[in-house]
Amino acid sequence: MHVVIMGCGRVGSTIAHILEDNGHSVAIIDRDPQAFRRLRAGFRGRRVTGIGFDRQVLQEAGIESAAAYVAVSSGDNSNIISARVARETFGVDNVVARIYDPRRAEVYQRLGIPTVATVRWTADQILRRILPEGAEPLWRDPTGQVILAEVAVNPAWIGTKVTDVEDAAGARVAFLNRMGEALVTKNDTVVQEGDVLHVIADENDMDRINKVLVAVPEESH
């Protein structure tokens, strides 16, 4: 398929190379012609200098035959405007916009534009690596309200059915990691030593859930 990318920074150039390596055609737009230096010497895609929400620039990039549009410039407003032009003017259904302010994500979602809040995602990944305990998000929906988090559990929960863990925590265990492999839980799944539980819940409820799971189960008192 043909993909148009706005923004030839580190993210845009990386996406362009990966897409090309997977056999797709790519056009990449940037207002700064020097930005194309990030593209490898053998890059075969189109390099288009201009603003990503300019219709002529988009047409030069082949937007009319594009199966997807990716807006990953350094400006939130430019990204969302260009994504809307790609969808509403040229009929590209598969669009995604990078944003730096996750508070805007809900607004963008209402406009039908999937977003990636890269700053928060990066922060979450760093926190997961430096904090030894507690719940840190592996994923969050674009509004930031629902998260999938890896949670620490007290060893006293070993031997307890996952369904009982869910009842005690008032949350859904999406899956667990056992000896390096992901396992979707069933009604008879029991927590074993070394299991890492992944809970999906409202972000505002995670502190309470974490406190329940790091404590000794009530029935063990």
Side-chain angles (χ1 to χ4, degrees):
M1 65 179 181
H2 181 59
V3 180
V4 177
I5 301 170
M6 183 186 80
C8 194
R10 284 175 294 181
V11 174
S13 59
T14 299
I15 293 172
H17 292 151
I18 292 172
L19 287 170
E20 190 171 75
D21 288 343
N22 282 276
H24 303 294
S25 66
V26 181
I28 190 160
I29 302 168
D30 202 290
R31 66 174 65 195
D32 180 8
Q34 299 300 315
F36 299 127
R37 292 182 176 180
R38 292 188 175 90
L39 297 170
R40 61 194 175 197
F43 180 70
R44 300 184 301 277
R46 302 181 214 174
R47 300 168 175 85
V48 182
T49 302
I51 300 172
F53 46 83
D54 183 288
R55 295 185 184 187
Q56 291 185 337
V57 170
L58 288 168
Q59 288 174 325
E60 185 180 346
I63 192 69
E64 291 167 322
S65 62
Y69 181 79
V70 179
V72 287
S73 76
S74 59
D76 284 6
N77 290 335
S78 296
N79 288 341
I80 200 64
I81 291 171
S82 67
R84 292 190 67 182
V85 171
R87 169 167 287 178
E88 297 170 11
T89 302
F90 294 101
V92 181
D93 291 328
N94 193 6
V95 302
V96 63
R98 176 186 188 182
I99 63 171
Y100 290 86
D101 182 359
R103 294 172 297 180
R104 299 184 180 184
E106 185 174 0
V107 176
Y108 296 164
Q109 285 294 111
R110 291 172 181 171
L111 295 173
I113 305 295
T115 59
V116 179
T118 54
V119 172
R120 186 55 194 255
W121 183 89
T122 302
D124 288 342
Q125 294 300 304
I126 292 171
L127 288 170
R128 285 186 56 235
R129 286 161 175 76
I130 65 174
L131 297 178
E133 294 183 351
E136 282 304 318
L138 299 168
W139 170 91
R140 69 177 64 238
D141 84 301
T143 68
Q145 295 302 305
V146 178
I147 64 174
L148 174 67
E150 178 182 305
V151 295
V153 295
N154 190 298
W157 288 98
I158 295 172
T160 304
K161 285 187 176 181
V162 171
T163 52
D164 292 335
V165 175
E166 293 177 326
D167 289 342
R172 172 77 174 121
V173 176
F175 67 97
L176 60 82
N177 188 290
R178 177 172 292 167
M179 298 180 67
E181 295 187 0
L183 176 67
V184 176
T185 62
K186 300 178 180 179
N187 289 337
D188 59 350
T189 302
V190 173
V191 178
Q192 297 183 11
E193 184 177 359
D195 283 355
V196 178
L197 273 59
H198 296 79
V199 172
I200 191 160
D202 188 300
E203 182 178 36
N204 296 328
D205 202 28
M206 285 308 304
D207 284 344
R208 181 195 61 79
I209 293 170
N210 189 54
K211 289 177 181 178
V212 171
L213 296 181
V214 297
V216 175
E218 291 186 3
E219 55 267 29
S220 296
H221 287 291

